[in-house]
Structures are given as structure tokens and as C-alpha cells.
Amino acid sequence: MTAYRNRSLAVALSAAAVATALTATVAPTAHAGTGGPEVPQLDWTSCAGAGGQECAQLPVPLDYRHPDGPTLTLAVTRLRSDNPDKRRGVLLAIPGGPGGSGVGLLKEKGDALRKRMAGAYDIVSLDPRGVGGSTKASCELTPDDRMLVNVRSWPGQGGDISANTERSRRVADACHRNGGAVLRSFTTLNEARDIDLFRQALGERKLSGWGTSYGTYAGAVYAQLFPQHTDRWVLDSNDDPNPNRVGRGWLANAAQGTEDRFPDFAAWASDPAQEAKGLRLAERAEDVRPLVLGLAEKLDAAPRKTTTKDVPLTGNMLRQTLQIALMSDDSFPMMAQLVKEAQEPTATPALPPFLAQPLSDESVAVMFGVVCNDVSWPTQVSSYEQAVAADRVRHPLTAGMPVNVTPCTFWQDGAAEKPARITADGPSNVLLIQNRRDPASPYSGALKLRQALGDRARMVTVDHGGHEVYLANGNPCADRTVTTFLTTGQRPEDSVCEN
């Protein structure tokens, strides 16, 4: 799944309708601090296949209300400063998801980060509960229920959600039967507590941080619970932290994010430069949208055989490919190629790998676990039916998926605890960095986080499309701004990076 890379698995969920939920601010010492778990010792060894990267195991309480009870094990990792004389502390990289691996993040971005930091930090990360080398849970789902196009709750032809409802009930029941206390412990609040136990095990009074995608919410929750332990804090690709709607609100916002981003793809797909590559879809940018929508409707009615046995190309698979392609300009050719093959009557389209095979059971479990445990979702199926019908009209590119029913609708016992409410209480040490046309974490949602943080934060908007900013989209101004803040503490006022 190279194009997908688990960067924003929360976007794989969907829900709808306005609902009320608890919005109390979580106290900074909730389930942590005095009377908390004993601080563990870390036994660092070289990570397999990663030059210079060290790995260790961090035991954490299954339940912080019972710090002496059962424990889970988290995989943690670090890259030591390559210039100890300039070392000023520790920089925590917080992966996206839910479902992203911090160990994998450092394998991918560690060398680039270390070069940018010029010795200022030991760079550390962790695999959250349920991910990578950490303790996992399983829902024991069928392969069909783990196909991405089914994990994302795409409505049937004409907006019918009956199959989505049946599947969501089945998945929720399976997770309740098979996930147990481990799955129930998968929450953003517990990730924040685990991060703070990691800080203590490192022997650090404060952490600097760089969180991406879902990691921005985990980072914001950490800064809310433990503000006194934050140093320089960067949140990259943000969304609305409204505690009534975390998870389902993020996905609902992605309908607008897709609309914001699609013109970038349309401009690329109509550029004469794509002609020689066989990827130009139309002569005018304004013709790309009706072409894609029309092709999806045609595939709804008559799916095409593909090179993957027993996995046809449907309209929803085309829509799903578009969602992934909009994450990065580098994925535009993948979408254009699939459209071209689907238009050719005699061709046998080849599905992208993330559509052709199921996700792992463990990755689906952590994705649903975190989002469904964090906040209670509306339970009336009729509210989702109404929301889907309306959203299909407003945002046809996403066809109602972002507001559809999900397993969270039927999640046993609802939220595991009261969600955190992000506030302006705390040190003014946060930098938000945000693409203006992010399909997964739209600009409109980032503005809500900026508002919630008040004077604690400043936000730099990048006039660019795609998901994730720092060391991701090649914008020199954005990379320079984040690097300067982390290495010198110089934080700009709210501003825009154009190049």
C-alpha cells in the first residue's frame, strides 16, 4: 500500500448527523502522574534493517486507572543526535492513522529529519497500541469485510445504505466478541498517556513534537493533558478537534476536502504534457469532473472484470482510488491510468494494490477501535440515510460515503471515556502547518483547531494541495518554517507560504 501507507486511516471511517456527547475537558493529571505506573527502563538495541535506528520495548498499563494491573508492550524507537554538543532535547514524531507506525515513520523520514535538525534532538517515536511491533488486537473479520472499499462505507447504487448497515453491525459485533479489553483500550487519551510514560522512561522533563494527520489530534490531546511537558510542538495537517465529533467529524469534513482538492487533479489531467504519457483525460479541466462522475455511475451499473480474480472494478472502487490519489500529486498518474483502462472496452483494468487485497485484521481493528472508542456516534440508521441523501447532492465526488453508517454506529458501550476538549489553556508553543487544499484534513477543519488553541498556537497555511506538509510536498517555505521553529524556537505569526 505504498500510495496509502496508513497515513490517514481515520479517513476510512464515516458517519453523519448532529449528535450530543460529553465535552468535558480532561484534567491534565487524569490517570497519570502521582500514583501512576512505575517508570520502566528501556533496553535499546539496533533495529533490524535500519542503520543507526535503535528499538526497545515499553510496557504500559492496559488501564491507567489500574497502573499495577495487566500491561501491554509498545515498540519504541530513536535516532540519537549526530552532534551531541548541539543536542537540546528530544523530538517525538507522532504517526498518523489511527494505525500508523512510528517505527516505520522514522525508517522513512528519520534521516531527513536528522539532517534538518542538525543534531538538536534525539528523534524518537513509538508504535501506538495495536500497531506494528506493539501489542495488537483482532476482530477476526472476513477478508471481504477487510477490503478497503468495504471498510470505507461507500453507499450502494442510488445511495442505498442497507448493505452498509448490515456490514457495520456485523463488524461491530465481531470486534466486541473478539477484541476484548485490549481493543477497548485503543483510545487517543491512552496514546497521550503512553507518550508521557515514554517521556518519563527517556528521562526527559519535556518533549518537542511533530505530529502528522491523526497524529495532530493525538499531539493536541497530549498538549492538553500534559502542557507542562511540551517544548516546541508542530501539528501538521490538522482537523476539527470538536470532542462531540472526533472521527466522524473528520470524515464528514473530507467531503469538502475532496471538493477543494479535485481541481488540482483536473488541471493536471487536462494538461497537454500528459498526452505523451497516455494519461490526459480531457482537453479542458472543467471536463474532467463530469468524465470521472459519469464513469463511476457507469461502473455502478456494470462493473468491469480486472486482472485480480473475483475483484471487479466498481464505481465505488473508482471513487476510492480518487480519494487515495488526491493525497499526493505523485498519485495522480495512478488515477488517470485506471480511468483510461476503464474507458477502453477491450482492456482489463489493473487495480491498485490497496484495492486488490484486504487490509490486515489488526490494522482494521486499531482503526475502528480508536475512532469508535474515542466518542459515541449517533445510533439511528435513519439519520445516516438522510445525511447520505443530502451529501450525495452537495458532494457527488464522495457519493455520501463521508456521512454514512459505520461500525461505530453499533459499537458496544459507546465511548470508552469522556473525550478531551482542546482549549487555549497552556503555553504558547504550538505551530500548525496546513495545506490549503488537503483532501483528508481540510483547511476549514484546521481553522477550528487554530481557534480552539487560541494564543497557544500560530498557523502557517501552505498554498498547496495534498495531505501532509513537512518533508512531504516539496514546499521550501513550509519546510524552512518548521525546521527553523524546531531548531531555533523562532515561530512566525499566522501567515501563508506560497512557495
Side-chain angles (χ1 to χ4, degrees):
M1 268 174 36
T2 55
Y4 195 40
R5 294 190 310 135
N6 266 352
R7 288 189 300 179
S8 191
L9 282 173
V11 181
L13 298 179
S14 55
V18 175
T20 57
L22 295 167
T23 61
T25 301
V26 177
T29 56
H31 305 339
T34 304
E38 182 179 349
V39 177
Q41 298 292 314
L42 296 174
D43 182 16
W44 294 103
T45 60
S46 295
C47 296
Q53 190 172 339
E54 296 176 297
C55 288
Q57 298 290 310
L58 175 74
V60 298
L62 173 66
D63 186 341
Y64 277 86
R65 293 168 297 187
H66 306 288
D68 297 326
T71 62
L72 308 179
T73 301
L74 303 188
V76 298
T77 187
R78 74 177 175 187
L79 278 170
R80 289 181 180 271
S81 165
D82 54 4
N83 192 341
D85 291 340
K86 292 188 177 181
R87 182 188 182 279
R88 65 173 306 274
V90 169
L91 174 64
L92 172 73
I94 309 174
S101 164
V103 175
L105 178 60
L106 283 203
K107 286 182 180 179
E108 180 185 358
K109 294 286 181 75
D111 288 343
L113 263 178
R114 187 155 60 171
K115 181 178 180 181
R116 296 273 181 168
M117 295 303 104
Y121 298 98
D122 291 343
I123 303 168
V124 304
S125 193
L126 78 167
D127 284 350
R129 299 175 185 222
V131 177
S134 297
T135 301
K136 297 185 180 68
S138 171
C139 293
E140 300 184 19
L141 303 178
T142 67
D144 187 60
D145 284 343
R146 292 186 277 112
M147 296 295 287
L148 179 58
V149 75
N150 293 328
V151 171
R152 289 195 176 185
S153 210
W154 291 97
Q157 190 171 4
D160 177 36
I161 72 167
S162 56
N164 305 128
T165 301
E166 180 181 350
R167 188 184 304 277
S168 294
R169 287 185 188 275
R170 181 169 66 246
V171 169
D173 288 346
C175 289
H176 180 65
R177 286 195 312 273
N178 303 313
V182 174
L183 179 62
R184 188 63 169 161
S185 80
F186 294 172
T187 67
T188 304
L189 286 168
N190 276 339
E191 181 170 344
R193 295 169 185 134
D194 292 344
I195 287 171
D196 201 62
L197 189 57
F198 185 27
R199 174 194 63 78
Q200 295 173 60
L202 290 166
E204 297 291 328
R205 187 173 65 88
K206 291 187 175 184
L207 296 172
S208 290
W210 169 50
T212 59
S213 191
Y214 162 75
T216 64
Y217 179 63
V221 170
Y222 180 84
Q224 189 67 39
L225 267 63
F226 306 101
Q228 72 276 24
H229 296 308
T230 60
D231 187 7
R232 298 169 184 171
W233 213 243
V234 176
L235 303 180
D236 175 345
S237 303
N238 309 269
D239 213 332
D240 187 352
N242 182 343
N244 294 339
R245 290 171 52 83
V246 291
R248 71 185 183 91
W250 304 333
L251 188 59
N253 290 348
Q256 184 58 51
T258 299
E259 298 289 343
D260 294 343
R261 172 65 162 152
F262 187 82
D264 292 340
F265 173 71
W268 178 92
S270 59
D271 189 331
Q274 309 311 323
E275 192 76 60
K277 306 171 190 174
L279 297 177
R280 193 181 187 196
L281 300 183
E283 294 185 358
R284 302 183 307 166
E286 57 265 36
D287 294 331
V288 176
R289 181 185 177 95
L291 184 156
V292 171
L293 290 174
L295 180 59
E297 290 181 2
K298 185 180 295 186
L299 291 168
D300 284 338
R304 293 280 301 277
K305 288 184 178 180
T306 70
T307 56
T308 303
K309 184 180 179 182
D310 299 327
V311 183
L313 174 61
T314 65
N316 283 337
M317 282 195 162
L318 188 75
R319 296 179 183 102
Q320 182 61 71
T321 303
L322 176 64
Q323 300 308 298
I324 302 303
L326 294 180
M327 296 286 191
S328 170
D329 292 5
D330 293 342
S331 297
F332 286 177
M334 170 187 68
M335 177 64 186
Q337 182 65 36
L338 187 60
V339 169
K340 283 287 190 180
E341 292 178 359
Q343 288 178 306
E344 175 55 54
T346 61
T348 303
L351 296 175
F354 55 80
L355 290 181
Q357 56 195 15
L359 302 172
S360 73
D361 192 69
E362 292 82 5
S363 66
V364 176
V366 70
M367 172 175 41
F368 283 129
V370 172
V371 179
C372 301
N373 287 332
D374 268 3
V375 66
S376 296
W377 291 45
T379 60
Q380 290 187 333
V381 173
S382 61
S383 69
Y384 295 97
E385 291 173 333
Q386 294 166 11
V388 165
D391 208 54
R392 286 170 63 84
V393 175
R394 287 194 298 265
H395 305 116
L397 290 170
T398 45
M401 180 273 292
V403 296
N404 200 2
V405 66
T406 75
C408 298
T409 308
F410 308 106
W411 205 248
Q412 296 287 339
D413 304 319
E417 56 184 315
K418 296 177 182 179
R421 181 168 177 258
I422 306 304
T423 74
D425 298 328
S428 184
N429 62 355
V430 181
L431 173 64
L432 308 183
I433 189 86
Q434 179 71 33
N435 283 331
R436 194 183 294 278
R437 300 180 302 283
D438 187 325
S441 302
Y443 181 65
S444 55
L447 290 175
K448 297 291 182 61
L449 179 58
R450 172 69 183 88
Q451 182 181 25
L453 289 167
D455 195 51
R456 296 178 69 184
R458 303 291 184 269
M459 188 167 98
V460 173
T461 301
V462 184
D463 190 14
H464 199 280
H467 188 55
E468 299 185 3
V469 182
Y470 187 52
L471 305 180
N473 67 15
N475 184 283
C477 170
D479 287 350
R480 183 171 60 249
T481 297
V482 173
T483 299
T484 298
F485 173 57
L486 289 174
T487 55
T488 72
Q490 180 182 342
R491 185 183 64 170
E493 295 300 312
D494 290 353
S495 55
V496 175
C497 274
E498 295 184 354
N499 53 52

